[in-house]
Amino acid sequence: AVLATRLSDLRNEMFIFAGSTVIGALAALLFTLYGPQSIIAVDSPLMPVAVLLCIWGLSVASTPPSIPVILIAQLMATSPLAQDHALSLAMALSAGWSLGMMVSPVSATLLLSARIAEEPARRIAWEWNRGYTAIAVPLTAAALALTYLLE
């Protein structure tokens, strides 16, 4: 009975992860079939920064960060960035996800934090975490560009 209660508390978070996988896979397939391939073929130190900012920006717009992470990972799998600079891409995806969780009021992390703190998730995302991400995003972007250049 305790396990069932605990699992029912996580149903929103499980739905977000399952839904993001389906949405990401479908969007990646559609982009691969009909999208401009030249976008992902760019080989520049700004590509991992663009990946980070895309994930973070969509998270700010209340998208669970797992959706753009899965989508971008699937899109970039055969790109020059993934082939020649896999570390930069992996770091951009990981950093984008972690920084996205800080600002997306629908991320599983903030939903759990909001439940524990008894505060609205939007307040935690956009008020409590605003100062941290204002510093962390530019520093992370610089570190990603530097990593790309050193790889």
Side-chain angles (χ1 to χ4, degrees):
V2 173
L3 179 61
T5 303
R6 302 260 182 199
L7 287 176
S8 69
D9 288 343
L10 296 175
R11 67 182 174 271
N12 291 336
E13 291 80 10
M14 286 189 280
F15 176 76
I16 288 170
F17 285 119
S20 68
T21 301
V22 172
I23 292 168
L26 178 62
L29 174 66
L30 292 175
F31 187 87
T32 302
L33 294 176
Y34 304 109
Q37 296 299 313
S38 60
I39 292 173
I40 62 171
V42 174
D43 191 13
S44 163
L46 296 179
M47 277 305 284
V49 174
V51 168
L52 168 77
L53 294 178
C54 182
I55 296 166
W56 185 80
L58 287 169
S59 298
V60 168
S62 297
T63 302
S66 52
I67 293 173
V69 167
I70 291 168
L71 171 65
I72 292 170
Q74 292 176 348
L75 286 175
M76 301 297 284
T78 59
S79 71
L81 180 61
Q83 302 302 314
D84 301 328
H85 302 280
L87 178 61
S88 296
L89 177 59
M91 288 176 57
L93 291 168
S94 299
W97 190 325
S98 64
L99 290 171
M101 285 189 296
M102 300 296 294
V103 295
S104 176
V106 294
S107 73
T109 302
L110 279 187
L111 291 174
L112 289 171
S113 298
R115 189 177 306 148
I116 292 168
E118 297 179 357
E119 291 285 342
R122 290 191 189 282
R123 181 169 186 217
I124 295 171
W126 296 336
E127 291 178 24
W128 294 9
N129 295 339
R130 181 177 45 211
Y132 169 75
T133 57
I135 295 168
V137 169
L139 289 176
T140 304
L144 287 171
L146 182 61
T147 301
Y148 177 97
L149 292 171
L150 295 176
E151 270 187 288

